Structure formats: structure tokens, C-alpha cells
Amino acid sequence: MESAADNHSTDSNSEADNNMTRPISSSSASFSSVQRALLLIQSDDSDSKLQAACEIRRLTKTSQRCRRQLSEAVKPLVSMLRVDSPELHEAALLALLNLAVKDEKNKISIVEAGALEPIISFLKSQDLNLQEYATASLLTLSASTVNKPIITASGAIPLLVQALKHGSPQAKADAVMALSNLSTHPNNLHVILETEPIPSIVNLLKNCKKSSKTAEKCSALVESLVGFDEGRIALTSEEGGVLAVVEVLENGSLQSREHAVGALLTMCQSDRCKYREPILREGVIPGLLELTVQGTPKSQSKAQMLLQLLRESPYPRSELQPDTLENIVCNIISQIDGEDQSGKAKKMLAEMVQVSMEQSLRHLQQRALVCTPTEKLPIASCTSEVSSK
């Protein structure tokens, strides 16, 4: 199967660039294929329609130009979804899927042509391939802001959560990405929460590669859902729920780690007394320390805020003794149970301080090298200038 994820990763610009440099005969052949496919898809013959759908799928796999040229095929392809033929269903779905990728107009046209009703019915099918194609289609169509409320109104969200629970690995990955797309529309988070998706999201998060796109979408969805009390309760009630988020914080992509620390911070900010211990218990400190040095600017800021909330007292010691990151972490380490976790945290803190010192020293040396040949200033002048800033 050609998943929606595969199609999204293709570079349509490279195809367009290639077409610009090809001989005219090649372009003519491509145009001829497009015209032939459009004629065949209008045919009353099932075999001709099947052949046309396969050809449309091939032509639109990587070519943005062909997606535009074949936009007229949307309505007849949607009509094929209503014919009682699994073979035609699959061919039409895959052709529509490729037509919709990176083409906002086609996404909207497919929904306007009435594709959602049959696609939703395929989500209930016993045919696993058809379920996968339907889920991938909803993933692609849900990327359109215009389509989001229409897809929600069609009743797709509960069925996507069912696919997330019981579908194939590919269907689960596509379902969580579709839900993540839909979650950005106002009020959709409430609809998603009503389906109780957290256990399935956590299960997927546990089993997928932490640096994958799937993990990124799972952690993004978790971050959004824990903004509500029901979401926070569901995550902490699920065995290994908080730990799964901590593991993403430690081993995920930069974007995944940003979502993970955001989720934990949201929980702690909502009720520090309730969520401080469950978060600390999963060994979050080493990962947070690493984020303060190596994370994105947002991750670094969120990690430091969370470290402040995780220390024993939520209040500043004194205005004369402001909390440094080292003081905050030392305070937390003193409260951690277990030599293993405490040892890791202390080691991370020492490494963090060492890295900070080395970075500062390198910066001073670079400044000295820049100043010496042009301004003819002694190194002492340069270092004192840096220190004064």
C-alpha cells in the first residue's frame, strides 16, 4: 500500500522541475496520458474505469501538475466509491488519495463531491486493506482547514479512534495523525476526549519508534488533551502513561520532545500537588536537564519552568538569592528516592555545568581571535568586554 505518509514525503517540486527540462515529446506523452485517463474514467465500462483509476494514481503519485490537470476526475472517482465492487473501491480510493496530496483544491473538491459517506462506511469494513485506505484518505483530507468541521460532523472521530484501537499498524499511525489534524479545529478536542482515546494513544506511543512522525503526532495530541482535566486523569490512570511521555522527552525528535515537555508542564501547572510526584516518579530529571542544554528554545524554556515546579517548594527562596537552574535541580535531587535516578541526575547536572563552562570559554576565545587582528586589543580587553555584557 502507498500510505498517505509516503505520499506526503514526495517532493512534487522536483517532478515539476524535471518536467520543465524534459523534451517536448515527453511532455506531450504525459498530456496524452492525462487526456486518455480522463476519457476512460467517464466510461460506463467497469474495466475502463478501473484502468483509468490505476493510471490516475500513477500519474499523480509525484506530479503536482498532473494533480491539477486531473482534477476533473474527482467526481467520477467518487462515484466509483458507491459501486458494489471492492476492486473499484480500492482503485478509486488510492487515486483520490494521490489527487489530494499537496493539493488543497482537490481535497475540498473530494469532500464536496460526497466522498466522506462511502469513506466512513469503509472504516467499518471487514476488509483490512479498505480500512487502511479509508484511514489514509481521512488523514490527507483532514489536512484541509475547510474540511475539518465537515469530517467531524460526519462522525469520523469515533471511527478513527476505533482504528487507533483495533486497526493494522499502518491504520493506527494514520488514525492518530488524522486525529491530530482534526484536534486543531475549535471544539474538536472535546469530541475526541469523549471517545476516550488516551489508552490507545499511549499504547501506540509505547510501541512506536520514539523519533518517528507517529510519536510526534501522539505527543502533540497528548499535549492538547492534557489541557483538560479528563485528559490529565486519563493519562495518569493509564499504566505507563506518564512514563511513555517521559520516554519521548528523552529519546524523541526535537519537535516530539517539545510536545512531551509541554504536556508534563501543562499537567504540573494545572495542579502541582497532584501531578508532581507521578512525574518525578518516572525519572524525568535527566531528560529535562538535557533539554535545558540541547532542546529547541521553547523546549529549553519549558524544561526550566517544569524543573522549578518540580522542586520541593513552589515559592522562591529569596529575592536576594534567586533560583539558578543548578540550585533548583539540586533541591529536586535531594527529594528523589532511589540512588540510581539520583545518580543519573547528578551526573547530568555535572555534565550540563561542564558544557556550559566549555561553551563560555569557546565564546571568549572566539571573541579574542576576532578582536586581536582588527582592533589590536589585548585579550584582557576582549574578555572584560564580554564579561561586562
Side-chain angles (χ1 to χ4, degrees):
M1 164 188 173
E2 301 219 357
S3 71
D6 293 335
N7 283 319
H8 275 299
S9 67
T10 59
D11 186 355
S12 60
N13 290 329
S14 63
E15 176 71 17
D17 292 340
N18 288 337
N19 284 339
M20 294 294 288
T21 58
R22 286 175 184 166
I24 294 176
S25 58
S26 177
S27 298
S28 299
S30 176
F31 180 75
S32 176
S33 297
V34 166
Q35 292 300 105
R36 182 171 180 273
L38 287 173
L39 284 173
L40 286 174
I41 199 66
Q42 301 287 351
S43 169
D44 293 329
D45 179 64
S46 295
D47 289 338
S48 296
K49 285 182 176 291
L50 181 62
Q51 183 182 348
C54 294
E55 183 67 2
I56 291 168
R57 177 192 176 192
R58 183 187 69 79
L59 290 168
T60 56
K61 182 177 180 180
T62 58
S63 173
Q64 186 63 34
R65 178 185 295 174
C66 285
R67 290 178 195 132
R68 285 285 78 232
Q69 293 173 337
L70 286 162
S71 59
E72 296 174 32
V74 166
K75 286 186 179 180
L77 284 168
V78 170
S79 297
M80 287 173 63
L81 299 179
R82 298 191 177 91
V83 178
D84 187 16
S85 168
E87 189 178 20
L88 290 181
H89 293 164
E90 289 188 12
L93 269 179
L94 290 170
L96 287 168
L97 182 58
N98 280 6
L99 275 168
V101 169
K102 297 181 181 178
D103 193 304
E104 180 72 7
K105 288 183 179 179
N106 281 349
K107 285 182 176 71
I108 295 170
S109 296
I110 290 167
V111 171
E112 288 179 343
L116 284 182
E117 184 182 351
I119 289 174
I120 294 297
S121 70
F122 298 153
L123 285 177
K124 307 171 188 176
S125 172
Q126 297 300 310
D127 185 332
L128 295 182
N129 283 338
L130 206 52
Q131 280 185 22
E132 280 192 9
Y133 303 150
T135 307
S137 298
L138 285 176
L139 162 58
T140 304
L141 295 174
S142 64
S144 166
T145 302
V146 174
N147 288 343
K148 292 178 196 287
I150 305 172
I151 293 173
T152 302
S154 73
I157 286 178
L159 293 171
L160 285 170
V161 173
Q162 284 301 308
L164 183 58
K165 290 180 181 177
H166 306 299
S168 66
Q170 183 63 57
K172 288 179 179 181
D174 287 347
V176 80
M177 291 185 195
L179 288 168
S180 181
N181 283 346
L182 294 172
S183 71
T184 63
H185 190 270
N187 301 321
N188 275 1
L189 280 172
H190 291 286
V191 180
I192 294 171
L193 272 171
E194 288 172 0
T195 65
E196 301 182 353
I198 293 286
S200 299
I201 297 172
V202 168
N203 187 54
L204 183 57
L205 199 52
K206 286 178 180 177
N207 293 298
C208 72
K209 188 176 180 180
K210 299 302 180 286
S211 59
S212 66
K213 194 71 175 177
T214 299
E216 182 181 318
K217 293 300 181 181
C218 283
S219 53
L221 200 48
V222 168
E223 182 181 16
S224 297
L225 293 175
V226 297
F228 302 87
D229 195 42
E230 311 97 282
R232 294 189 289 272
I233 292 171
L235 184 66
T236 51
S237 299
E238 183 67 20
E239 184 177 356
V242 175
L243 177 58
V245 177
V246 171
E247 288 176 343
V248 173
L249 184 147
E250 293 174 337
N251 302 308
S253 66
L254 286 174
Q255 196 59 49
S256 296
R257 298 177 80 185
E258 190 174 299
H259 289 309
V261 72
L264 298 176
L265 178 61
T266 297
M267 293 172 67
C268 219
Q269 286 175 327
S270 69
D271 190 335
R272 179 185 174 278
C273 295
K274 184 175 184 178
Y275 295 113
R276 175 180 177 269
E277 287 303 324
I279 293 172
L280 276 176
R281 193 163 51 237
E282 302 302 349
V284 72
I285 301 302
L288 286 177
L289 285 171
E290 188 176 339
L291 269 188
T292 63
V293 178
Q294 298 180 354
T296 65
K298 283 187 179 180
S299 295
Q300 291 177 347
S301 174
K302 289 178 180 180
Q304 292 195 31
M305 291 170 67
L306 183 54
L307 283 167
Q308 289 177 334
L309 289 170
L310 291 176
R311 69 188 182 89
E312 185 179 18
S313 170
Y315 307 107
R317 293 185 187 84
S318 166
E319 290 185 4
L320 297 177
Q321 290 182 312
D323 284 323
T324 63
L325 185 58
E326 289 82 0
N327 286 338
I328 293 168
V329 176
C330 286
N331 178 275
I332 297 171
I333 291 171
S334 68
Q335 305 301 317
I336 294 175
D337 293 326
E339 292 182 4
D340 184 47
Q341 187 185 151
S342 179
K344 286 181 181 177
K346 288 177 180 177
K347 182 180 178 182
M348 284 291 298
L349 178 56
E351 290 174 354
M352 182 187 71
V353 173
Q354 181 65 27
V355 168
S356 179
M357 290 175 64
E358 289 174 356
Q359 288 175 342
S360 297
L361 182 58
R362 280 198 298 270
H363 180 67
L364 289 173
Q365 290 171 337
Q366 288 168 358
R367 288 287 295 157
L369 290 173
V370 170
C371 291
T372 301
T374 56
E375 301 174 32
K376 304 298 183 183
L377 294 177
I379 291 178
S381 298
C382 294
T383 53
S384 62
E385 179 187 352
V386 173
S387 301
S388 66
K389 288 186 177 180

